[in-house]
Amino acid sequence: MHDGVDLVEGLYSSLAEAGRAVQDMARLGREKAEAERKYRVAKAKRMLYERDQNRTPVSIIGDIVKGQEDIAYLAFERDCAECVYEANREAVLLAKKRADVYREQVAREWSQAGCQ
């Protein structure tokens, strides 16, 4: 049997952790969107350049542009931002799950103690 105070502290700690992670989601979401924007703008500019200046066939422009070092780096940055965002999202879900476990344990303790 756990000490009720420890359970309630764990519950509040988990809820606070979830709250912090949710606050981070706004910043991380913006960083993710900005990385996507930078990638798309640079890719579009490079595609136009390839078509206008090098007369690259439209059918292969996408593959050629994605292989350019600067565009590949921006795709990498975009993918990393996506991973960080998703990892933080999972942290929110985990903290919420942990809070649910504490909440259930508190309810069991109160029930066993005869409290309602």
Side-chain angles (χ1 to χ4, degrees), residues 99-115:
D100 289 342
V101 169
Y102 278 118
R103 191 176 299 118
E104 290 169 7
Q105 184 63 31
V106 167
R108 277 193 294 275
E109 294 286 330
W110 276 64
S111 176
Q112 289 174 357
C115 302

Side-chain angles (χ1 to χ4, degrees), residues 84-101:
V84 170
Y85 180 85
E86 289 301 320
N88 194 75
R89 186 172 158 272
E90 289 298 319
V92 169
L93 296 174
L94 179 61
K96 288 169 56 177
K97 186 66 173 173
R98 193 176 303 124
D100 289 342
V101 169

